[in-house]
Amino acid sequence: MASFYSITQSYAITDPRAFEPLPDALRRTSFVMRVLCFLALGRPDLDDHWKSLQSDQAFETVRSRLCSILASTITTASVLLAISSIFVSTGSPVSYFDYTSPVPYCLLFISFMLAMIVMLTSGSSMIRWLHADRQ
């Protein structure tokens, strides 16, 4: 029985012949690819994701970890949305920060839009991961 260990999880594959190594083209990645992998999968490389495709149990482990990351992102974006809406709907708490000028509203609107984008993309990614299967 071959076992593959990650920092957070261990993946067990019962049949060692069923494990296919990561292709060389996916092993040597650029800095941009490592950043994209980290943002999409929570790891800077494709090793854990490749291992998760080798067994059902490992896939479920990776899927639950990614859904947890996405749920945390959605929660954080929701809090930012609530804070943005509170700032827009209240008056200035100090006299030297003028809310009547357009600059604070523009910055709050940008924050509001970015939080909405994060919620929509994270929500759609979570739906995709919840309905994805290993194949």
Side-chain angles (χ1 to χ4, degrees):
M1 179 166 145
S3 294
F4 303 99
Y5 293 96
S6 170
I7 293 174
T8 57
Q9 302 289 338
S10 73
Y11 306 115
I13 297 175
T14 55
D15 186 12
R17 295 174 308 215
F19 177 70
E20 297 175 18
L22 184 67
D24 289 335
L26 296 176
R27 190 169 309 214
R28 295 182 307 257
T29 56
S30 66
F31 176 73
V32 174
M33 181 66 175
R34 287 193 302 262
V35 169
L36 290 174
C37 285
F38 182 75
L39 293 175
L41 303 171
R43 304 280 303 158
D45 54 9
L46 292 171
D47 288 334
D48 283 346
H49 187 64
W50 184 261
K51 291 172 189 172
S52 75
L53 296 175
Q54 306 298 319
S55 74
D56 289 331
Q57 179 186 8
F59 180 76
E60 290 300 321
T61 302
V62 169
R63 178 169 45 183
S64 65
R65 181 179 52 131
L66 289 174
C67 286
S68 172
I69 291 170
L70 290 171
S72 299
T73 304
I74 291 171
T75 302
T76 305
S78 300
V79 169
L80 287 175
L81 276 174
I83 290 171
S84 296
S85 63
I86 289 171
F87 277 131
V88 167
S89 64
T90 60
S92 176
V94 290
S95 61
Y96 57 84
F97 191 68
D98 185 21
Y99 273 10
T100 58
S101 70
V103 174
Y105 285 106
C106 181
L107 293 175
L108 288 171
F109 182 72
I110 290 171
S111 170
F112 186 75
M113 287 291 99
L114 289 175
M116 286 292 289
I117 290 169
V118 166
M119 284 185 62
L120 291 173
T121 56
S122 296
S124 62
S125 293
M126 182 176 274
I127 290 170
R128 181 182 58 89
W129 273 105
L130 290 174
H131 293 289
D133 58 353
R134 191 167 69 98
Q135 304 303 326

